[in-house]
Amino acid sequence: MKKIKPVHIGFILSIGITLCISLLFVLHFRPLEILEEKLFDLRLHLRGVKPPSDKVVVIAVDDESVEKIGRWPWHREKTAKVIDKLSEYRAKLISFDIIFSETETEAGDRIIQKSIKKAGNVILPLAFNLDPIKPKPPAFNIAPSSYAILKNIDRLKPIQASNVLVSIPPISKQALSMGHINMIPDIGGAIRWEILAIKYGDNYYPSLALQSVRQFIGLPREAMILEGGSSIRFGRFRIPTDSYGRMLIDYSGPEKTFKYISIIDLLEGKVKREEIEGKIALVGITALGLYDLRVTPFSDNMPGVEKHANVIENILRGVFLKRNSQIIDLAIILFVGLILALILPRMKAVFGAIISISLLAIYTGITYYLFVNNNLWIDYLYPSLNIIIVYTGVTIYRYASEEKRAREIKNMFSSYVTEKVVNELIKNPDMAKLGGERREITVLFSDVRGFTSFSEKHSPEEVVSILNEYLGEMTGIVFRWDGTLDKFIGDAILAFWGAPMKQEDHAELAIKCALDMIRRLKELQQKWQSEGKPILDCGIGINTGEVLVGNIGAEGKKMDYTVIGDHVNLGSRVESLTRKYNVNILITEFTLDKIKDLVKNGNISHVCIKGLERVAVKGKEKPVEILELISLEPGAESVIEECEKEEVVVLKEK
């Protein structure tokens, strides 16, 4: 079965994470939806307060008014005085966020009816019961306050009401119009949307704020058209809505961003006419103890009446916040995920972090810019979360796979090369291509002379002891010169340079290793002689050429990292010729070609390289020049004497 490349696994992992994030987005995963709403609030805070126009003023039933006038609710005659005073100050429109749902006294009800009728510009609220049960008819006909024209209503997912709370009929009938004051908080608990249409019976009713603006600008009822699932056509412009007929509220700021006028100040004549004249006067409760406080993006205790003021301000300005289409938001998540899937698995963690952070920063800047300058709410959390999780997932996978690969490299090469080389291969795994490849290397064969007769004359314990000492010293020298120890073949050593890590100076390292091995062997011989032990000698053959290097063997059973090829065989046969010519080190003309300049410029010093013969070894038709390598005394001038004999010695034996 073909092994999947890590980069492909990284791609699959990235796509998988992106699809999971997309699914959470489609399912409106509650915790993430709450967090996205909070990020929307943060954008409002970062944008700052937008000073509202002076067309709306809040007439507040505040704590001071309650303290001086008396506990709420007040007698109707007090409220009638408020209406009369606002009319006196020529408020263009008076909108109540207060429902007169019960009869007080006949005299009191008659007084307020008279004041409302006289003012002729009073809008009263409706409060719908949104429980999904069979609708009950209202106490009197409220249909004149509904939308007159409906379009594409089948596209609307209506918010339906089963009952309605209105001011008592004698009072309601005097109103210019009515609008609902229902608010439905988001799943996070804040009021972010204004419901512009609630279905009750066969009719759809606008909000108090929308109705107030219509009356304020003198727009006919027929010019306010509900277009299902998209907008409210409001005269010459449209108010964008979602599929539920809701408008996103663009809050100007926290509570008291709008002008507040205390009712007690109004009644006591402490208010200037210009503070009210020609404006929409929103009458509502702001006193803390009367519990008409709402959670909004800017505040945890904004009076409901100021929420209406914000909606009115939005509509009067004709500039609205819009939430991006879910299809486009989903496309952004998928697009960002695809980009990361194509890039991150091919990059190192640091560069991947730079790309991810840059992408996150760019996306943050774009979403904030579009929010501030185009009033567009693009989903920020899901694409950003996708960037973070994809990067984290790919990075964790990369570290896990690299750690696994590092273990494989360590297990593969720790017996062949020094820890220094293993660590370098772990840092740069591409240097250690675990599959087979052709590469130029220098191979070194070392064999103990007369080992068969030696082992016959000595006990196994003596043979093993002295052989282990010899092989241990020689192996240490191979590692000292950054060689790769291929294997022990009985008493023989096979080592090479140039793989797994590429070494441009592979021939030089092999030559210096061989000279060091012979130097150490002579020291061992003196030691063995002084100890009365048998003395071992060895021959070394060195050759350079292109070979096949890699994991060779039975996959899943026994694999070795080794070298094979004609040049490996030639190195072995050259080593066997050290007995014929009674020398310690023989090299081939191919190795000489690699080190000749190094000897001449002194990089390989005090050596003598002497050509012996041109030989045609068994299995090779083309003759090869072999040369003896001898270490001279320190300070001696190096000598190279190439073979001058033209005749070729043909060898039949190994």
Side-chain angles (χ1 to χ4, degrees):
M1 184 176 177
K2 191 174 181 180
K3 189 176 181 182
I4 302 177
K5 294 181 179 180
V7 67
H8 294 156
I9 295 177
F11 177 84
I12 294 169
L13 179 63
S14 302
I15 294 298
I17 291 171
T18 299
L19 292 177
C20 288
I21 296 292
S22 300
L23 181 62
L24 292 176
F25 174 77
V26 171
L27 296 176
H28 302 290
F29 185 56
R30 186 181 180 89
L32 296 183
E33 291 294 314
I34 293 173
L35 188 52
E36 175 60 30
E37 290 170 359
K38 297 298 183 183
L39 290 172
F40 166 79
D41 299 349
L42 177 61
R43 276 172 266 189
L44 281 175
H45 280 275
L46 291 174
R47 186 198 64 186
V49 174
K50 292 171 63 174
S53 66
D54 62 351
K55 295 178 181 178
V56 184
V57 61
V58 175
I59 310 301
V61 180
D62 58 3
D63 290 309
E64 185 182 359
S65 300
V66 171
E67 182 180 347
K68 290 185 177 182
I69 296 174
R71 63 182 293 181
W72 183 263
W74 297 329
H75 292 298
R76 297 278 159 81
E77 61 185 39
K78 290 291 184 182
T79 307
K81 287 182 180 180
V82 172
I83 297 171
D84 294 340
K85 202 69 175 178
L86 290 171
S87 295
E88 179 186 335
Y89 281 17
R90 296 183 181 176
K92 187 170 182 181
L93 190 74
I94 303 170
S95 290
F96 271 87
D97 187 25
I98 300 167
I99 299 178
F100 307 104
S101 58
E102 297 177 351
T103 299
E104 185 189 77
T105 64
E106 186 177 341
D109 291 345
R110 194 164 45 246
I111 290 172
I112 196 170
Q113 291 173 45
K114 184 178 178 181
S115 295
I116 293 173
K117 183 177 181 180
K118 181 180 178 181
N121 62 349
V122 176
I123 294 181
L124 294 179
L126 304 169
F128 288 105
N129 183 347
L130 302 181
D131 288 338
I133 59 177
K134 187 176 180 180
K136 296 179 181 178
F140 73 102
N141 184 22
I142 61 172
S145 294
S146 65
Y147 286 93
I149 300 176
L150 308 175
K151 289 188 176 182
N152 301 320
I153 206 64
D154 56 317
R155 298 179 184 175
L156 181 68
K157 301 174 185 176
I159 296 172
Q160 300 194 52
S162 60
N163 205 348
V164 64
L165 181 66
V166 297
S167 296
I168 58 174
I171 296 175
S172 295
K173 289 176 181 179
Q174 307 305 320
L176 179 64
S177 187
M178 289 181 286
H180 76 79
I181 55 173
N182 289 78
M183 305 179 199
I184 300 178
D186 284 341
I187 55 177
I191 304 294
R192 297 183 181 86
W193 298 85
E194 172 79 349
I195 307 170
L196 294 184
I198 290 180
K199 184 179 182 183
Y200 179 55
D202 295 327
N203 295 313
Y204 292 80
Y205 293 86
S207 67
L208 178 75
L210 183 61
Q211 198 73 279
S212 297
V213 176
R214 183 179 74 80
Q215 296 290 357
F216 180 74
I217 65 176
L219 190 69
R221 182 178 170 224
E222 293 75 18
M224 185 175 68
I225 303 170
L226 173 60
E227 298 184 335
S230 63
S231 64
I232 306 293
R233 191 185 298 174
F234 200 75
R236 295 183 178 179
F237 64 88
R238 295 175 185 270
I239 303 172
T241 64
D242 66 1
S243 58
Y244 298 97
R246 302 181 306 169
M247 179 194 92
L248 192 57
I249 305 172
D250 186 2
Y251 285 94
S252 295
E255 68 272 10
K256 294 194 176 179
T257 299
F258 286 79
K259 173 73 174 175
Y260 276 46
I261 294 176
S262 172
I263 282 181
I264 192 64
D265 289 341
L266 176 70
L267 295 178
E268 292 179 353
K270 297 178 180 179
V271 180
K272 296 178 181 179
R273 181 186 297 273
E274 57 265 26
E275 294 181 77
I276 295 175
E277 188 174 7
K279 300 178 182 180
I280 298 176
L282 274 173
V283 184
I285 297 169
T286 65
L288 292 176
L290 299 182
Y291 307 105
D292 188 28
L293 303 179
R294 310 293 176 176
V295 177
T296 70
F298 272 108
S299 174
D300 289 337
N301 54 357
M302 177 179 285
V305 66
E306 191 167 1
K307 188 278 296 183
H308 301 318
N310 277 279
V311 177
I312 290 172
E313 179 71 17
N314 291 174
I315 300 171
L316 285 174
R317 285 188 175 185
V319 178
F320 306 96
L321 283 177
K322 301 177 289 295
R323 180 141 198 194
N324 203 27
S325 162
Q326 286 197 358
I327 294 175
I328 296 177
D329 280 339
L330 180 60
I332 291 171
I333 297 170
L334 295 172
F335 178 73
V336 169
L338 180 60
I339 293 295
L340 293 174
L342 293 172
I343 294 176
L344 290 186
R346 292 172 168 81
M347 305 188 78
K348 291 187 176 180
V350 173
F351 293 109
I354 293 172
I355 292 293
S356 299
I357 292 171
S358 299
L359 187 59
L360 191 60
I362 291 169
Y363 187 68
T364 301
I366 290 173
T367 54
Y368 184 70
Y369 175 85
L370 292 175
F371 182 80
V372 172
N373 294 279
N374 294 72
N375 299 298
L376 183 61
W377 175 10
I378 296 178
D379 195 286
Y380 177 79
L381 179 64
Y382 287 93
S384 301
L385 193 63
N386 195 37
I387 293 171
I388 294 169
I389 296 179
V390 167
Y391 169 75
T392 303
V394 170
T395 301
I396 291 173
Y397 165 72
R398 179 184 289 113
Y399 277 122
S401 62
E402 286 179 356
E403 184 177 337
K404 180 183 177 183
R405 192 173 184 186
R407 286 197 303 269
E408 291 175 352
I409 290 174
K410 196 165 187 178
N411 293 336
M412 178 64 65
F413 294 109
S414 59
S415 300
Y416 302 143
V417 296
T418 63
E419 185 176 353
K420 168 189 169 186
V421 175
V422 170
N423 291 335
E424 191 65 29
L425 292 173
I426 290 172
K427 290 180 186 177
N428 303 282
D430 290 341
M431 292 183 178
K433 187 176 180 182
L434 296 178
E437 67 171 325
R438 293 200 169 274
R439 191 182 291 185
E440 184 184 77
I441 67 164
T442 296
V443 63
L444 180 151
F445 279 88
S446 172
D447 196 7
V448 175
R449 291 178 181 170
F451 182 74
T452 302
S453 60
F454 165 78
S455 60
E456 289 175 350
K457 295 176 182 178
H458 297 84
S459 68
E461 291 79 9
E462 287 181 301
V463 172
V464 170
S465 174
I466 196 168
L467 186 59
N468 283 347
E469 183 178 9
Y470 164 76
L471 292 175
E473 292 289 337
M474 297 302 108
T475 300
I477 293 170
V478 170
F479 286 165
R480 185 185 309 154
W481 291 101
D482 293 334
T484 299
L485 179 64
D486 188 317
K487 61 175 71 72
F488 296 119
I489 310 169
D491 58 313
I493 297 173
L494 169 57
F496 54 87
W497 285 258
M501 194 169 68
K502 287 186 178 180
Q503 297 162 302
E504 299 299 328
D505 56 348
H506 52 83
E508 178 185 356
L509 292 171
I511 290 294
K512 290 180 176 179
C513 177
L515 293 171
D516 203 3
M517 290 171 75
I518 296 303
R519 179 194 60 77
R520 181 56 182 154
L521 178 61
K522 289 180 179 179
E523 293 175 354
L524 287 174
Q525 288 173 341
Q526 292 176 1
K527 173 178 174 291
W528 291 332
Q529 186 176 15
S530 66
E531 293 173 350
K533 293 181 179 179
I535 297 173
L536 299 180
D537 198 5
C538 79
I540 296 174
I542 299 174
N543 182 43
T544 300
E546 188 180 81
V547 302
L548 182 66
V549 58
N551 285 313
I552 297 171
E555 187 171 357
K557 296 180 180 178
K558 175 66 175 175
M559 299 285 286
D560 283 320
Y561 188 79
T562 188
V563 289
I564 58 174
D566 287 345
H567 281 282
V568 179
N569 299 333
L570 179 58
S572 175
R573 291 189 170 97
V574 168
E575 181 278 320
S576 68
L577 292 177
T578 58
R579 298 171 183 79
K580 174 180 174 61
Y581 294 99
N582 195 28
V583 296
N584 285 117
I585 304 174
L586 285 178
I587 68 174
T588 66
E589 60 183 84
F590 307 116
T591 302
L592 177 63
D593 289 341
K594 290 289 182 181
I595 65 167
K596 189 183 295 184
D597 291 339
L598 298 174
V599 174
K600 290 178 179 179
N601 63 29
N603 282 0
I604 300 177
S605 58
H606 51 269
V607 296
C608 175
I609 300 176
K610 182 181 179 181
L612 298 180
E613 287 183 317
R614 292 166 57 79
V615 300
V617 298
K618 184 177 180 181
K620 301 285 287 186
E621 295 182 2
K622 188 176 180 180
V624 178
E625 182 179 353
I626 58 172
L627 305 98
E628 180 185 10
L629 174 65
I630 306 170
S631 179
L632 303 178
E633 292 295 324
E637 187 176 350
S638 296
V639 178
I640 298 177
E641 297 178 2
E642 296 189 51
C643 184
E644 296 180 355
K645 296 180 181 180
E646 294 297 329
E647 65 272 13
V648 175
V649 177
V650 179
L651 301 175
K652 300 296 184 183
E653 72 278 8
K654 177 182 175 183

PDB file of all heavy atoms in Angstrom, residues 159-178:
ATOM      1  N   ILE A 159     -42.335  36.124  13.019  1.00  0.00           N
ATOM      2  CA  ILE A 159     -42.434  36.007  14.476  1.00  0.00           C
ATOM      3  C   ILE A 159     -43.913  36.212  14.803  1.00  0.00           C
ATOM      4  O   ILE A 159     -44.475  37.281  14.550  1.00  0.00           O
ATOM      5  CB  ILE A 159     -41.554  37.068  15.164  1.00  0.00           C
ATOM      6  CG1 ILE A 159     -40.086  36.798  14.822  1.00  0.00           C
ATOM      7  CG2 ILE A 159     -41.769  37.054  16.673  1.00  0.00           C
ATOM      8  CD1 ILE A 159     -39.138  37.877  15.283  1.00  0.00           C
ATOM      9  N   GLN A 160     -44.545  35.168  15.344  1.00  0.00           N
ATOM     10  CA  GLN A 160     -46.002  35.179  15.479  1.00  0.00           C
ATOM     11  C   GLN A 160     -46.429  35.445  16.914  1.00  0.00           C
ATOM     12  O   GLN A 160     -45.751  35.047  17.866  1.00  0.00           O
ATOM     13  CB  GLN A 160     -46.587  33.843  15.010  1.00  0.00           C
ATOM     14  CG  GLN A 160     -46.252  33.553  13.547  1.00  0.00           C
ATOM     15  CD  GLN A 160     -47.101  32.437  12.983  1.00  0.00           C
ATOM     16  OE1 GLN A 160     -48.326  32.471  13.086  1.00  0.00           O
ATOM     17  NE2 GLN A 160     -46.468  31.468  12.362  1.00  0.00           N
ATOM     18  N   ALA A 161     -47.542  36.117  17.041  1.00  0.00           N
ATOM     19  CA  ALA A 161     -48.107  36.448  18.350  1.00  0.00           C
ATOM     20  C   ALA A 161     -49.442  35.732  18.531  1.00  0.00           C
ATOM     21  O   ALA A 161     -50.166  35.461  17.563  1.00  0.00           O
ATOM     22  CB  ALA A 161     -48.309  37.955  18.466  1.00  0.00           C
ATOM     23  N   SER A 162     -49.736  35.401  19.788  1.00  0.00           N
ATOM     24  CA  SER A 162     -51.004  34.737  20.085  1.00  0.00           C
ATOM     25  C   SER A 162     -51.988  35.670  20.786  1.00  0.00           C
ATOM     26  O   SER A 162     -53.179  35.385  20.852  1.00  0.00           O
ATOM     27  CB  SER A 162     -50.754  33.507  20.965  1.00  0.00           C
ATOM     28  OG  SER A 162     -50.136  33.911  22.187  1.00  0.00           O
ATOM     29  N   ASN A 163     -51.466  36.763  21.318  1.00  0.00           N
ATOM     30  CA  ASN A 163     -52.333  37.711  22.020  1.00  0.00           C
ATOM     31  C   ASN A 163     -51.647  39.065  22.026  1.00  0.00           C
ATOM     32  O   ASN A 163     -50.448  39.164  21.720  1.00  0.00           O
ATOM     33  CB  ASN A 163     -52.595  37.243  23.459  1.00  0.00           C
ATOM     34  CG  ASN A 163     -53.895  37.788  24.017  1.00  0.00           C
ATOM     35  OD1 ASN A 163     -54.506  38.693  23.430  1.00  0.00           O
ATOM     36  ND2 ASN A 163     -54.325  37.258  25.151  1.00  0.00           N
ATOM     37  N   VAL A 164     -52.374  40.095  22.391  1.00  0.00           N
ATOM     38  CA  VAL A 164     -51.796  41.429  22.405  1.00  0.00           C
ATOM     39  C   VAL A 164     -52.315  42.208  23.599  1.00  0.00           C
ATOM     40  O   VAL A 164     -53.484  42.084  23.997  1.00  0.00           O
ATOM     41  CB  VAL A 164     -52.111  42.195  21.093  1.00  0.00           C
ATOM     42  CG1 VAL A 164     -53.606  42.428  20.938  1.00  0.00           C
ATOM     43  CG2 VAL A 164     -51.354  43.513  21.032  1.00  0.00           C
ATOM     44  N   LEU A 165     -51.420  42.967  24.191  1.00  0.00           N
ATOM     45  CA  LEU A 165     -51.774  43.856  25.291  1.00  0.00           C
ATOM     46  C   LEU A 165     -51.762  45.282  24.752  1.00  0.00           C
ATOM     47  O   LEU A 165     -50.753  45.739  24.197  1.00  0.00           O
ATOM     48  CB  LEU A 165     -50.765  43.712  26.434  1.00  0.00           C
ATOM     49  CG  LEU A 165     -51.013  44.580  27.674  1.00  0.00           C
ATOM     50  CD1 LEU A 165     -52.300  44.150  28.388  1.00  0.00           C
ATOM     51  CD2 LEU A 165     -49.825  44.489  28.635  1.00  0.00           C
ATOM     52  N   VAL A 166     -52.903  45.975  24.907  1.00  0.00           N
ATOM     53  CA  VAL A 166     -53.014  47.348  24.401  1.00  0.00           C
ATOM     54  C   VAL A 166     -53.570  48.224  25.513  1.00  0.00           C
ATOM     55  O   VAL A 166     -54.086  47.741  26.530  1.00  0.00           O
ATOM     56  CB  VAL A 166     -53.938  47.415  23.165  1.00  0.00           C
ATOM     57  CG1 VAL A 166     -53.371  46.615  22.020  1.00  0.00           C
ATOM     58  CG2 VAL A 166     -55.347  46.946  23.515  1.00  0.00           C
ATOM     59  N   SER A 167     -53.446  49.496  25.297  1.00  0.00           N
ATOM     60  CA  SER A 167     -54.117  50.425  26.208  1.00  0.00           C
ATOM     61  C   SER A 167     -55.628  50.231  26.060  1.00  0.00           C
ATOM     62  O   SER A 167     -56.122  49.797  25.008  1.00  0.00           O
ATOM     63  CB  SER A 167     -53.733  51.864  25.863  1.00  0.00           C
ATOM     64  OG  SER A 167     -52.342  52.067  26.057  1.00  0.00           O
ATOM     65  N   ILE A 168     -56.347  50.573  27.085  1.00  0.00           N
ATOM     66  CA  ILE A 168     -57.799  50.345  27.046  1.00  0.00           C
ATOM     67  C   ILE A 168     -58.403  51.074  25.849  1.00  0.00           C
ATOM     68  O   ILE A 168     -57.915  52.140  25.441  1.00  0.00           O
ATOM     69  CB  ILE A 168     -58.453  50.787  28.368  1.00  0.00           C
ATOM     70  CG1 ILE A 168     -58.164  52.269  28.652  1.00  0.00           C
ATOM     71  CG2 ILE A 168     -57.958  49.919  29.523  1.00  0.00           C
ATOM     72  CD1 ILE A 168     -58.893  52.810  29.876  1.00  0.00           C
ATOM     73  N   PRO A 169     -59.452  50.512  25.240  1.00  0.00           N
ATOM     74  CA  PRO A 169     -60.013  51.073  23.999  1.00  0.00           C
ATOM     75  C   PRO A 169     -60.302  52.563  24.041  1.00  0.00           C
ATOM     76  O   PRO A 169     -59.971  53.266  23.080  1.00  0.00           O
ATOM     77  CB  PRO A 169     -61.272  50.234  23.783  1.00  0.00           C
ATOM     78  CG  PRO A 169     -60.948  48.921  24.406  1.00  0.00           C
ATOM     79  CD  PRO A 169     -60.120  49.239  25.618  1.00  0.00           C
ATOM     80  N   PRO A 170     -60.904  53.095  25.102  1.00  0.00           N
ATOM     81  CA  PRO A 170     -61.185  54.542  25.071  1.00  0.00           C
ATOM     82  C   PRO A 170     -59.930  55.388  24.861  1.00  0.00           C
ATOM     83  O   PRO A 170     -59.987  56.437  24.224  1.00  0.00           O
ATOM     84  CB  PRO A 170     -61.802  54.801  26.447  1.00  0.00           C
ATOM     85  CG  PRO A 170     -62.378  53.498  26.860  1.00  0.00           C
ATOM     86  CD  PRO A 170     -61.424  52.467  26.328  1.00  0.00           C
ATOM     87  N   ILE A 171     -58.803  54.914  25.401  1.00  0.00           N
ATOM     88  CA  ILE A 171     -57.543  55.651  25.237  1.00  0.00           C
ATOM     89  C   ILE A 171     -56.924  55.343  23.882  1.00  0.00           C
ATOM     90  O   ILE A 171     -56.490  56.244  23.155  1.00  0.00           O
ATOM     91  CB  ILE A 171     -56.566  55.317  26.384  1.00  0.00           C
ATOM     92  CG1 ILE A 171     -57.131  55.784  27.723  1.00  0.00           C
ATOM     93  CG2 ILE A 171     -55.204  55.937  26.122  1.00  0.00           C
ATOM     94  CD1 ILE A 171     -56.290  55.401  28.930  1.00  0.00           C
ATOM     95  N   SER A 172     -56.867  54.041  23.512  1.00  0.00           N
ATOM     96  CA  SER A 172     -56.222  53.632  22.261  1.00  0.00           C
ATOM     97  C   SER A 172     -56.860  54.280  21.048  1.00  0.00           C
ATOM     98  O   SER A 172     -56.169  54.626  20.080  1.00  0.00           O
ATOM     99  CB  SER A 172     -56.277  52.104  22.120  1.00  0.00           C
ATOM    100  OG  SER A 172     -55.531  51.476  23.130  1.00  0.00           O
ATOM    101  N   LYS A 173     -58.184  54.455  21.103  1.00  0.00           N
ATOM    102  CA  LYS A 173     -58.890  54.989  19.936  1.00  0.00           C
ATOM    103  C   LYS A 173     -58.516  56.441  19.634  1.00  0.00           C
ATOM    104  O   LYS A 173     -58.757  56.933  18.531  1.00  0.00           O
ATOM    105  CB  LYS A 173     -60.399  54.871  20.134  1.00  0.00           C
ATOM    106  CG  LYS A 173     -60.899  53.436  20.069  1.00  0.00           C
ATOM    107  CD  LYS A 173     -62.381  53.353  20.360  1.00  0.00           C
ATOM    108  CE  LYS A 173     -62.870  51.906  20.319  1.00  0.00           C
ATOM    109  NZ  LYS A 173     -64.317  51.799  20.622  1.00  0.00           N
ATOM    110  N   GLN A 174     -57.921  57.109  20.631  1.00  0.00           N
ATOM    111  CA  GLN A 174     -57.533  58.501  20.426  1.00  0.00           C
ATOM    112  C   GLN A 174     -56.130  58.635  19.835  1.00  0.00           C
ATOM    113  O   GLN A 174     -55.720  59.732  19.449  1.00  0.00           O
ATOM    114  CB  GLN A 174     -57.585  59.257  21.773  1.00  0.00           C
ATOM    115  CG  GLN A 174     -58.895  59.136  22.518  1.00  0.00           C
ATOM    116  CD  GLN A 174     -60.081  59.561  21.675  1.00  0.00           C
ATOM    117  OE1 GLN A 174     -60.019  60.551  20.926  1.00  0.00           O
ATOM    118  NE2 GLN A 174     -61.197  58.817  21.776  1.00  0.00           N
ATOM    119  N   ALA A 175     -55.413  57.512  19.784  1.00  0.00           N
ATOM    120  CA  ALA A 175     -54.020  57.567  19.327  1.00  0.00           C
ATOM    121  C   ALA A 175     -53.938  57.762  17.823  1.00  0.00           C
ATOM    122  O   ALA A 175     -54.809  57.319  17.069  1.00  0.00           O
ATOM    123  CB  ALA A 175     -53.296  56.294  19.725  1.00  0.00           C
ATOM    124  N   LEU A 176     -52.870  58.420  17.404  1.00  0.00           N
ATOM    125  CA  LEU A 176     -52.609  58.598  15.977  1.00  0.00           C
ATOM    126  C   LEU A 176     -52.324  57.252  15.320  1.00  0.00           C
ATOM    127  O   LEU A 176     -52.766  56.981  14.201  1.00  0.00           O
ATOM    128  CB  LEU A 176     -51.417  59.547  15.797  1.00  0.00           C
ATOM    129  CG  LEU A 176     -50.971  59.851  14.363  1.00  0.00           C
ATOM    130  CD1 LEU A 176     -52.084  60.594  13.611  1.00  0.00           C
ATOM    131  CD2 LEU A 176     -49.692  60.689  14.380  1.00  0.00           C
ATOM    132  N   SER A 177     -51.602  56.427  16.025  1.00  0.00           N
ATOM    133  CA  SER A 177     -51.264  55.089  15.531  1.00  0.00           C
ATOM    134  C   SER A 177     -50.667  54.302  16.686  1.00  0.00           C
ATOM    135  O   SER A 177     -50.474  54.842  17.793  1.00  0.00           O
ATOM    136  CB  SER A 177     -50.274  55.188  14.362  1.00  0.00           C
ATOM    137  OG  SER A 177     -50.079  53.926  13.781  1.00  0.00           O
ATOM    138  N   MET A 178     -50.366  53.034  16.410  1.00  0.00           N
ATOM    139  CA  MET A 178     -49.745  52.184  17.435  1.00  0.00           C
ATOM    140  C   MET A 178     -48.630  51.335  16.819  1.00  0.00           C
ATOM    141  O   MET A 178     -48.661  51.026  15.625  1.00  0.00           O
ATOM    142  CB  MET A 178     -50.795  51.269  18.080  1.00  0.00           C
ATOM    143  CG  MET A 178     -51.773  51.998  18.989  1.00  0.00           C
ATOM    144  SD  MET A 178     -52.986  50.893  19.747  1.00  0.00           S
ATOM    145  CE  MET A 178     -54.022  50.565  18.334  1.00  0.00           C
TER     146      MET A 178
END
